[in-house]
Amino acid sequence: MSQSTYEKLRTELREIGTLGTVSALVGWDEQVMLKPGGTEFRSQQGALLARMIHERFTSKQLGDWIGELEGSTPENEDARVILRELRHDYDRATKLPSSLVEELARTTTLSQAAWVEARSKKDFATFSPWLTKMLDLKRKEAACLGSASGHPYDALLEGYEPGETCESLTKLFDAMKPRLVALIERTADSGKVAPLEILERRYPAAAQEKLAREAAAAIGFDVNAGRLDISVHPFCSGIAPGDTRITTRYDEQFFGDAFFGTLHETGHAMYEQGLPKSTHFGTALADATSLGIHESQSRLWENLVGRSRPFWSLFFGKAREAFAPTLDDVSMDDWMFAVNDIRPSFIRTEADEATYNLHILLRFEIEQKMLKGDLNVADIPKVWDETFKRYFGIDVPDISKGCLQDVHWSCGLIGYFPTYSLGNMYAAQFYRAATRAIPDLESLIAKGEFSPLLSWLRANIHMHGRRYRGRELAQRVTGEDVSPNALLDHLEARGREYYGV
Amino acid sequence: MSQSTYEKLRTELREIGTLGTVSALVGWDEQVMLKPGGTEFRSQQGALLARMIHERFTSKQLGDWIGELEGSTPENEDARVILRELRHDYDRATKLPSSLVEELARTTTLSQAAWVEARSKKDFATFSPWLTKMLDLKRKEAACLGSASGHPYDALLEGYEPGETCESLTKLFDAMKPRLVALIERTADSGKVAPLEILERRYPAAAQEKLAREAAAAIGFDVNAGRLDISVHPFCSGIAPGDTRITTRYDEQFFGDAFFGTLHETGHAMYEQGLPKSTHFGTALADATSLGIHESQSRLWENLVGRSRPFWSLFFGKAREAFAPTLDDVSMDDWMFAVNDIRPSFIRTEADEATYNLHILLRFEIEQKMLKGDLNVADIPKVWDETFKRYFGIDVPDISKGCLQDVHWSCGLIGYFPTYSLGNMYAAQFYRAATRAIPDLESLIAKGEFSPLLSWLRANIHMHGRRYRGRELAQRVTGEDVSPNALLDHLEARGREYYGV
């Protein structure tokens, strides 16, 4: 392998990556800092950066370097991985004609605006022409990208969860569904109802923020290399080496949103902070494995740790103090039940950790048909509501709580949803492996010692970047192929504990 | 003129300008938001953007377009101005070899770090080799740029205050000096001392912030098109169309810093918000005339308006309420005297509006000699202290309060200081013209009606961008050439009012 070509390639990747960090910062600022007067121009800043990055990443020169380096196998394992993943990304990026990329970008902006309007008016007709157009463009995109199966959904999925297909995910979801549905039915029939009122008392935003910051720092968020701010839609952005930022929002009438949301985003953030960016910035080795693996890190901290008894044996006292006297009459048992509630609900983002997966199954089923053309856009609301009734046993009250609730389709993010449930599976599987590797894990957590768990995640998951596909990583870390078993075992244990079922 | 070439030029300028806005945002974020862990990488983001902007702005293609368009006079006055200023900037940018630009950038970073250390250790020797190197580089820069007079200082000054020279500024400063020195002597001899203790009481940061925000919004800062945040060194950045941001800092033991600092930065910000960016973005017509004109806008609001009796007849009640009961025993007259104090002091940035100009005269005198080579670097502290004694009549206690107080020389900002006093002159001259044009101006201000003044500034100054040189603009707006007379009349009136001299 030519060292000088490799060095030129690395320099180019570093510069493209640096432009990417600038673009990420501009995006963060837009969500968190920008006032309305700056919005219009901001879209020009974002578009220019996106175009420059795309042009450099799809350049013939870059392709020539990759081709030249592929001619001789690099001795270095890291370089092999970097080249392999670069080929993967370069081919995908260059397969799309600029005209399609631009039309997708333009349509996304308009389609998203139409979706916002449609949701607020509860009027599907306002959005349906845009969804039709978006599906058409996504089919074209899938046709350009191609897939081994020939299924367009697989071509899109590859962009979010490399290596997974409809077939592989369907197997996992089919294995999950019966036990999950049975658990949810048992909890509903148990006659027990979680004391949710506890979480709906008055929680001043300042006290919430203080507790959320304390929790984020306690579990391991490096506050010297990142920020916690407020935005309408909470997110995490691993902007640049040494600069990872998360956001949340405070609802003074509900405890759960900000606190668990912060744990969730902190999980994402600690993954970003754990990626080997100082050595491998600009290459796939400094990137997250996949969306599913990213989500596994957020879910692990939010749910496996953050809703556990050891965690709250440490934090319940702090919460009582932070919101005194609001929680003075609440027992630890009632609190634990409230934060481990399982019950059907309409909005995915507000769902508990068990029923959440049903929301994903529903979307995975519908969007495959949508993309294939087996489901007409006009029929989506009806099919959504019927499928929802079948899964959840309740009637969707209106379309804003039905098929118009998520932003994803309006942005063309088709194939994204299944990675959320895959993340839940990975999370439970990784956590189980961690409890094996760190025998006294739960008593350490109860003492506030989170670093053994974080170090284990760093060493086993974070440090690898995109060295392995998600499934291969899980196999290496846990000794088992990915499966819903750990997740189901975990959820069933919570069912037994709180619902006695 | 070829319309299609002109359109291509405008598109290129818009893109370079857009990269400039991104660079400005990255810079703002660094000062206001970035945590320490992100600092190292941030310098790479900044350097990449700076290099890309420089490469595109100095490209042969851009030069060819300018040359082609200069071949035929544009019918359009705006296009004529845009081309004239572009030629000015293009020639200056292309005269500097990249190696010099890079060495200046590298030296600035290191030299600034050395200055920080030297100031904190009060040790000139830590900084002097860097100042020697910086002066050498700035002489090279001046030699590349050239000037009509052949004086290197003029070549640098042209970058901050186009059209001004040592000679033209010396005339102004010589005209200012006798009356200014006499005024300061009279106030010192008056036996009267401003009740500064009033401003040094406890002022909680939250209350200061509330009052500062109210004042900024009241005088006309568009809060929907900008932000007010906190940073160590207060500044204003006109980041992009619709996005102008200012910062301040709160000292709980001193009222003046944040409040007058905010008025100052708001003055800068309203100029940025008033530039015709929506039409002319990317061209000189959307840029500030010069540093002096920019400073005139900040000084006008900070001093001419913000320290006036009409202003405080409106705001003193608000201040009393905001800090109650801290100011209950303070009369309006005492307050007015405190905020209009005139007395020699060591630190330029903390100086009152009269003695401030002496600080500039001192620096202007010394840095001309420094650059010419008539003053050895090793002799600067001695000459500074002697000159300071001559101007102010007091002894500099240590070098951190002497020639090491300002960051400017360490950054290579030689020729920048005089624009501050020029700004003071312009401010007073513009304000006098405004009081003529708006006869009841002061009673409007007392009623909180600031918009007639702002509209007048918008129409007479802001909307012109770089259409005229500073001096020409002043002539058009005030009917007189620039002179220190309006400033001196204003300062002498304050001397009479508060010191009875």
Side-chain angles (χ1 to χ4, degrees), chain B residues 199-208 249-255 257-258:
Chain B
L199 304 180
E200 293 162 4
R201 296 178 180 182
R202 199 180 132 64
Y203 291 92
Q208 284 195 58
R249 62 182 164 203
Y250 300 99
D251 177 349
E252 298 210 315
Q253 306 302 323
F254 184 59
F255 174 79
D257 241 24

Side-chain angles (χ1 to χ4, degrees), chain A residues 373-501:
Chain A
D374 293 349
L375 171 57
N376 287 329
V377 167
D379 296 332
I380 291 175
K382 194 169 136 274
V383 171
W384 178 288
D385 291 358
E386 285 168 6
T387 318
F388 193 87
K389 176 89 180 206
R390 179 153 53 81
Y391 277 121
F392 290 87
I394 50 179
D395 291 308
V396 175
D398 70 62
I399 199 162
S400 73
K401 295 193 174 62
C403 69
L404 282 182
Q405 67 180 269
D406 294 303
V407 72
H408 298 61
W409 293 344
S410 74
C411 307
L413 296 173
I414 292 164
Y416 194 112
F417 283 124
T419 68
Y420 290 132
S421 268
L422 191 61
N424 288 338
M425 292 180 204
Y426 280 137
Q429 208 167 325
F430 290 148
Y431 190 72
R432 184 150 73 184
T435 54
R436 283 191 203 122
I438 311 163
D440 53 348
L441 178 60
E442 305 224 314
S443 64
L444 289 169
I445 288 176
K447 283 188 283 182
E449 294 175 23
F450 296 96
S451 66
L453 176 55
L454 181 56
S455 301
W456 185 88
L457 294 168
R458 290 253 192 277
N460 288 281
I461 296 163
H462 304 180
M463 67 164 288
H464 295 307
R466 285 168 59 185
R467 188 178 300 277
Y468 312 111
R469 291 281 175 265
R471 226 168 245 265
E472 194 183 350
L473 182 66
Q475 175 74 48
R476 285 176 168 266
V477 176
T478 70
E480 302 160 356
D481 194 10
V482 61
S483 97
N485 292 335
L487 176 63
L488 290 164
D489 291 349
H490 159 73
L491 294 173
E492 285 170 354
R494 295 234 162 136
R496 275 195 301 282
E497 184 169 2
Y498 298 106
Y499 290 87
V501 297

Side-chain angles (χ1 to χ4, degrees), chain B residues 12-295:
Chain B
E12 179 63 9
L13 290 179
R14 255 193 302 274
E15 288 202 2
I16 297 171
T18 302
L19 283 175
T21 66
V22 170
S23 175
L25 180 67
V26 166
W28 174 87
D29 187 88
E30 184 174 345
Q31 299 292 314
V32 183
M33 291 290 150
L34 192 67
K35 294 298 175 76
T39 310
E40 195 186 328
F41 192 82
R42 178 58 53 95
S43 67
Q44 294 182 41
Q45 295 169 317
L48 177 63
L49 288 168
R51 206 190 72 210
M52 291 172 65
I53 291 167
H54 182 75
E55 278 172 7
R56 289 179 71 164
F57 192 70
T58 56
S59 76
K60 188 175 172 305
Q61 175 68 85
L62 196 71
D64 289 346
W65 285 334
I66 300 169
E68 182 193 329
L69 292 166
E70 283 171 336
S72 58
T73 312
E75 294 125 44
N76 182 310
E77 167 67 14
D78 284 354
R80 268 199 296 273
V81 174
I82 288 168
L83 273 180
R84 179 194 74 206
E85 295 300 299
L86 187 56
R87 165 60 69 196
H88 175 271
D89 297 350
Y90 182 81
D91 283 353
R92 282 181 69 85
T94 50
K95 276 178 184 166
L96 301 179
S98 319
S99 57
L100 180 60
V101 172
E102 274 164 36
E103 201 176 351
L104 270 164
R106 217 170 23 245
T107 305
T108 295
T109 307
L110 298 168
S111 158
Q112 211 178 323
W115 166 76
V116 169
E117 192 192 337
R119 191 174 65 157
S120 101
K121 282 166 46 189
K122 302 178 183 181
D123 175 41
F124 189 69
T126 302
F127 178 52
S128 60
W130 290 102
L131 182 55
T132 303
K133 175 153 195 209
M134 183 57 87
L135 285 168
D136 183 47
L137 292 172
K138 295 303 283 187
R139 276 182 214 114
K140 283 188 184 144
E141 181 186 335
C144 294
L145 294 171
S147 68
S149 66
H151 195 311
Y153 197 90
D154 286 353
L156 303 180
L157 194 52
E158 181 69 17
Y160 309 121
E161 204 64 39
E164 297 299 331
T165 60
C166 283
E167 197 189 338
S168 68
L169 290 181
T170 301
K171 261 188 214 156
L172 285 176
F173 291 166
D174 282 353
M176 173 170 70
K177 198 165 148 192
R179 277 174 69 187
L180 182 67
V181 169
L183 169 67
I184 292 166
E185 279 172 8
R186 286 203 304 280
T187 57
D189 297 344
S190 71
K192 292 203 178 172
V193 179
L196 284 193
E197 164 275 327
I198 296 172
L199 304 180
E200 293 162 4
R201 296 178 180 182
R202 199 180 132 64
Y203 291 92
Q208 284 195 58
E209 183 182 338
K210 193 164 168 282
L211 192 70
R213 281 185 189 279
E214 187 180 346
I219 65 176
F221 180 61
D222 180 354
V223 294
N224 284 316
R227 301 182 50 87
L228 168 60
D229 296 279
I230 295 174
S231 69
V232 179
H233 302 289
F235 67 99
C236 166
S237 178
I239 293 178
D243 190 14
T244 294
R245 306 185 185 186
I246 60 177
T247 68
T248 190
R249 62 182 164 203
Y250 300 99
D251 177 349
E252 298 210 315
Q253 306 302 323
F254 184 59
F255 174 79
D257 241 24
F259 190 81
F260 292 107
T262 302
L263 291 182
H264 180 97
E265 302 305 339
T266 301
H268 281 305
M270 294 192 301
Y271 185 24
E272 289 290 330
Q273 293 184 331
L275 289 166
K277 297 188 189 183
S278 56
T279 339
H280 297 298
F281 176 75
T283 76
L285 283 173
D287 283 348
T289 309
S290 69
L291 289 184
I293 297 295
H294 224 310
E295 191 73 2

